[in-house]
Amino acid sequence: MTDVSAAAAGQAASLTVRDNRTGTEYDLPIVDGTIKAADLGKIRTADDEPGLAVYDPGFVNTASCRSAVTYIDGEKGILEYRGYPIEQLAEKSNFLEVAYLLIHGELPTKAEYEAWVHEITYHTFVHENVKGFMHGFRYDAHPMGMLMASVGALSTFYPDARNIDDPDNRHMQIVRMIAKMPTLGAWAFRHAQGKPFIYPDNELSYTENFLSMLFRMSEQKFAADPRLAKALDVLLILHADHEQNCSTNAVRSVGSSQVDPYSAVAAGIGALYGPLHGGANEAVLRMLKRIGTKENIPAFIEGVKNGNERLMGFGHRVYKNYDPRAKLIKKACDDVFEVTGVNPLLEIAQELEKIALEDEYFVKRKLYPNVDFYSGLIYEALQFPPEMFTVLFAIGRTPGWLAQWNELIQDKEQKIARPKQIYTGDRTLTFVPAEERWA
Ligand SMILES: CC(C)(COP(=O)(O)OP(=O)(O)OC[C@H]1O[C@@H](n2cnc3c(N)ncnc32)[C@H](O)[C@@H]1OP(=O)(O)O)[C@@H](O)C(=O)NCCC(=O)NCCS
């Protein structure tokens, strides 16, 4: 029973715990469906013994903060930013407006929106020395490694960023980071290809400018197909926040030391780089290529059911229903393929989805397509190599990371992140110096 229903039934919103070691009973208040771990700490066998703690590797059932940024109901397939359904934002808004919403908590007025777009647009340039150190990476450097390093390095260009208690200062760094991320991502991409870096074009929209920095060659002005720019904008919106996922937790954890936001976001990029987090769409693409033709699908599905394969892009820790983002990405697929021609892997993906959604194995386990099932196909159609997929995710996630960081800094209940451990090693050994041990 939740505390709300308990209150409605006239019962106390509390949990009574009996410690069988001592026979003592404790009444722990339940607030917002949680008990405080610190209240458990009061349960102890003696005053000089440590209090009871919770063992929760991966924080699967531990709330680390209060947050008003993003709401997810995994059972129902609901995702909302600041209360607005993702479907409406993807269809009717744009990435910069969504970024404003995430950061400020409310939609902008016309004047606020124009000022925001102006600010972001005029901070897209990076210090010329950034170009210098980006050239220093090896020719085959992974663009995520380059992005992580260059975002971290921005903290040295803006030492004032460590003044995190000043709201105007925080605003400045938020604007800078959202503005510069596409520049850094595009330059990492160009570096791998040995192509010159393209400076931002302030006459273009956020997404058009990004495409220009990625793909422009000798033309005076890069004109992206508006349908492709729109599809990429929608993908950025869909990735903009996802409450306390691994990278956001990294940003909050590092940010809780009160370091500058560039260092905190660099930590988030590091977390996103990992294959369990940002790398799944690349795995989907590899899987589709391996399947090769529709005829091979039944054998592949059998392999999945026998436990020899995993259907990448299916299943989610939180969503036990169709991932709402996957539906929207499917729609963006149609728009992109209208311009680029259909990716032959799409047919295999659609057939796989059809079979899986009807198969008892997947139905029983509530396995539905997630955000990564179709996004790799779009990115490939837009000419991105697989290493760039996670960079695109990072650019989209930046406003979310910053909104969560900004919330953390102002949250009076937050402390430096410092989990407990259950110590399993030796104790009180006597050290024998090397010359005696090796004698
Ligand atoms: C996302 C993911 C890691 C979630 O994992 P989780 O919440 O820990 O779920 P579990 O691994 O406990 O899965 C529950 C059951 O479904 C099965 N399952 C989960 N995802 C599966 C998949 N993609 N293909 C086949 N079986 C899958 C598991 O084998 C398990 O079956 P069992 O009960 O018979 O042992 C997992 O679904 C997965 O690996 N998906 C593929 C990778 C992916 O697309 N990641 C991107 C996430 S956005």
Side-chain angles (χ1 to χ4, degrees), residues 385-412:
E387 315 80 80
M388 275 300 284
F389 294 0
T390 337
V391 171
L392 300 167
F393 192 157
I395 295 171
R397 184 54 56 88
T398 301
W401 285 332
L402 292 167
Q404 301 265 355
W405 168 78
N406 205 25
E407 186 175 64
L408 163 95
I409 298 302
Q410 295 171 80
D411 184 346
K412 300 266 185 297

Side-chain angles (χ1 to χ4, degrees), residues 123 127 152-177 180 258-263 405 409:
H123 283 89
H127 191 289
L154 286 186
S155 73
T156 67
F157 290 87
Y158 306 109
D160 58 319
R162 66 176 82 109
N163 187 9
I164 58 166
D165 291 326
D166 174 3
D168 292 339
N169 192 295
R170 286 202 303 273
H171 175 82
M172 190 68 252
Q173 314 315 327
I174 288 170
V175 166
R176 280 183 177 140
M177 231 178 302
K180 294 180 200 310
Q258 304 200 343
V259 74
D260 68 87
Y262 299 98
S263 304
W405 168 78
I409 298 302

Side-chain angles (χ1 to χ4, degrees), residues 276-277 280 284 304 309-318 320 323 325 361-362 365 367 370-372:
L276 290 189
H277 192 0
V284 172
V304 172
E309 300 269 9
R310 190 147 268 243
L311 179 50
M312 299 310 290
F314 260 65
H316 196 275
R317 173 59 66 74
V318 179
K320 301 300 171 199
D323 180 339
R325 301 168 301 171
Y361 174 94
F362 299 92
R365 290 172 177 76
L367 299 172
N370 61 46
V371 68
D372 294 311

